[in-house]
Amino acid sequence: MTTLIQNGTVVTATGRHAADVLVDGTTIAAVLMPGSDAAASAAAGAERIIDATGKYVVPGGIDCHTHMELPFGGTFASDTFEIGTRAAAWGGTTTIIDFVDDAALKEMDSLVNEGITSFKLFMAYPGVFYSDDAQIFRAMQVAADNGAMICMHAENGIAIDVLGEQAAARGQTDPIYHGITRHPRFEGEATNRAIQLALVAGAPVYFVHLSASEALERVAEARDQGHNVFAETCPQYLYLNLEDHLGAPGFAGAGYVCSPPLRTKHEHHHADLWQGLRTNDLAIVSTDHCPFCMKDQKELGRDDFRAIPNGIGGVEHRMDLIYQGVVMGELTLERWVETCSTTPARMFGLYPQKGVIAPGADADIVLYDPDATTRISVDTHHMSMDYSAYEGIDIDGKVDTVISKGKVLIQDGAYHGAKGDGAYLRRGLSTYLT
Ligand code: DUC
Ligand code: ZN
Ligand code: ZN
């Protein structure tokens, strides 16, 4: 089937221009100058025309850090891969990278050969996901050899657990103590430690869900010295905070328990993160999508914040929330595309199959309407969650149409996908490594 997307403004990481996009089967066949002979003949021959007048035509979003069905604290993240990827599509995200393996060192080489080229390691959660420095260092040595990317959850979990125990012993069991005991310096310290280990091992390191100024400073220093050090942040660290959200009255703060925690609004974490996105010390926005319902899940920690399953669901809202950053003047339109699609593709070995509107790329295309609006709410979202961490936030834009590999998934407010539409992606190595 051939489809011509006409009259839109194609936005890529490097610019924006009026163009018609011809899709042939599952890939983009041509990007054509409107009014040209080639565009006219594509229009005459196309089996389907989609009018994109007034809309941005952008590559499908890539969320490179999600946790569908993650086992955590005696329960499981509430989105299955089916529900979570459908919700992602509603929000303009057509590709996710999840973390489903429990890889042993010896398996890393074979996994890289299978196209699994990044591994998340945890410096937090002793006794659960935690790796000690020796394990981390050995994994980095293997990565230095096979080209894999080590994705690091950088928080000093040992020190955090000391403060957590002390807080609980004092009877400080409300959700806000989850944030108070996970000090931003513990993120800064772990970030620095991981950088030093990576430099000695000769491996690249990518910091997931960076939340604190103290950690960003360490990343910026290493990058200024020219090292293969990269980082992402997530919408929750840009929009939500310790006092208003994690500290919400009663037990409502449990809905905002994630790790690293939401940071205080009285320091400059939020502004620093937006700046980091502009300077590229933060290269990517992912979600760390890890949803739990309040009922039966977050409630497990009603008497002790340490038993609240950690995670916030947001895979559906990332494109909208970061587009709002464009509206707020924090980012350019091009940087929106870059941080949400193009750089994730390059960082994780999916480029140029994904992350760009260009001939030969997969036809993963979002038509985004800057003249429509979106109100985020539990009443309208498609994730398996009984609350929304972003309840009531208004977005000055709207995901209008979503196409994945040439198939229209979202159009006219309806979902047209089917179970089994998705496909496993074999990934190559990052293209950012020097
Ligand atoms: N952080 C979370 O909030 N949830 C799952 C894993 C993680 O690192
Ligand atoms: Zn993590
Ligand atoms: Zn994670």
Side-chain angles (χ1 to χ4, degrees):
M1 166 130 194
T2 54
T3 303
L4 188 69
I5 302 168
Q6 265 185 332
N7 306 320
T9 300
V10 170
V11 184
T12 69
T14 52
R16 61 188 93 170
H17 58 287
D20 296 346
V21 180
L22 180 63
V23 173
D24 188 0
T26 60
T27 58
I28 295 171
V31 180
L32 304 162
M33 193 193 298
S36 64
D37 290 350
S41 96
E47 290 158 84
R48 175 172 61 186
I49 303 261
I50 296 177
D51 182 21
T53 302
K55 308 205 170 73
Y56 298 128
V57 180
V58 303
I62 301 174
D63 190 340
C64 59
H65 182 179
T66 66
H67 297 284
M68 307 299 171
E69 305 176 21
L70 179 79
F72 194 107
T75 185
F76 290 84
S78 55
D79 272 346
T80 60
F81 280 86
E82 185 190 352
I83 292 172
T85 54
R86 190 166 56 212
W90 274 102
T93 287
T94 48
T95 300
I96 63 161
I97 302 178
D98 208 280
F99 296 86
V100 289
D101 53 280
D102 188 7
L105 269 187
K106 60 179 172 10
E107 290 165 350
M108 279 176 68
D109 283 336
S110 54
L111 287 167
V112 168
N113 290 333
E114 292 295 320
I116 296 166
T117 55
S118 55
F119 300 88
K120 182 174 177 183
L121 272 65
F122 291 83
M123 302 169 92
Y125 304 122
V128 191
F129 301 129
Y130 177 81
S131 295
D132 66 26
D133 288 354
Q135 291 166 318
I136 289 169
F137 187 60
R138 285 183 202 283
M140 286 174 165
Q141 287 179 317
V142 175
D145 215 39
N146 66 20
M149 183 67 84
I150 297 294
C151 298
M152 189 62 73
H153 178 133
E155 286 186 292
N156 186 326
I158 304 284
I160 285 168
D161 277 7
V162 172
L163 287 189
E165 275 167 32
Q166 292 170 346
R170 286 193 294 266
Q172 295 171 328
T173 55
D174 289 343
I176 195 166
Y177 292 102
H178 170 82
I180 291 170
T181 56
R182 301 183 90 94
H183 199 285
R185 286 188 188 277
F186 291 158
E187 189 180 345
E189 183 278 329
T191 302
N192 179 54
R193 186 159 30 105
I195 289 170
Q196 303 310 320
L197 294 173
L199 294 187
V200 176
V205 60
Y206 175 94
F207 291 98
V208 289
H209 49 46
L210 190 147
S211 71
S213 305
E214 288 85 343
L216 183 57
E217 282 165 18
R218 302 288 83 79
V219 167
E221 265 167 27
R223 291 181 54 76
D224 287 349
Q225 291 162 14
H227 299 304
N228 283 322
V229 171
F230 311 95
E232 65 177 28
T233 191
C234 310
Q236 56 268 37
Y237 304 117
L238 296 163
Y239 282 95
L240 309 176
N241 66 63
L242 177 84
E243 292 82 7
D244 300 332
H245 301 99
L246 201 48
F251 191 61
Y256 300 94
V257 166
C258 60
S259 292
L262 304 181
R263 298 302 183 188
T264 176
K265 63 182 180 185
H266 300 303
E267 292 169 1
H268 38 92
H269 304 285
H270 296 81
D272 286 353
L273 296 184
W274 283 115
Q275 178 170 306
L277 283 172
R278 289 191 291 275
T279 62
N280 204 38
D281 288 325
L282 294 170
I284 287 176
V285 181
S286 74
T287 56
D288 194 19
H289 176 78
C290 193
F292 296 98
C293 291
M294 293 296 283
K295 185 168 168 358
D296 295 339
Q297 296 199 298
K298 294 285 186 179
E299 274 175 0
L300 292 168
R302 193 170 272 284
D303 299 326
D304 184 344
F305 68 87
R306 294 173 299 169
I308 299 170
N310 286 201
I312 289 182
V315 74
E316 187 168 347
H317 305 309
R318 182 185 62 123
M319 296 297 281
D320 279 329
L321 288 165
I322 305 309
Y323 177 77
Q324 193 62 20
V326 176
V327 175
M328 296 183 318
E330 298 283 1
L331 301 178
T332 64
L333 202 54
E334 289 79 4
R335 188 70 184 146
W336 171 55
V337 170
E338 191 168 29
T339 56
C340 291
S341 182
T342 310
T343 302
R346 292 192 61 195
M347 190 70 73
F348 292 101
L350 289 168
Y351 192 88
Q353 184 187 355
K354 305 283 185 191
V356 66
I357 305 271
D362 279 354
D364 296 350
I365 300 170
V366 174
L367 273 54
Y368 199 82
D369 187 350
D371 296 320
T373 57
T374 305
R375 170 160 292 188
I376 299 177
S377 173
V378 64
D379 299 331
T380 47
H381 75 198
H382 301 85
M383 301 175 290
S384 183
M385 290 174 76
D386 59 4
Y387 76 102
S388 172
Y390 302 101
E391 186 67 41
I393 293 187
D394 286 319
I395 306 293
D396 296 306
K398 186 176 181 14
V399 173
D400 177 86
T401 302
V402 179
I403 300 169
S404 169
K405 284 197 166 177
K407 176 169 182 174
V408 173
L409 295 185
I410 306 287
Q411 197 173 36
D412 299 327
Y415 183 74
H416 304 282
K419 189 172 176 171
D421 276 347
Y424 169 72
L425 291 167
R426 285 179 78 94
R427 292 184 286 123
L429 302 181
S430 174
T431 59
Y432 280 112
L433 307 184
T434 48

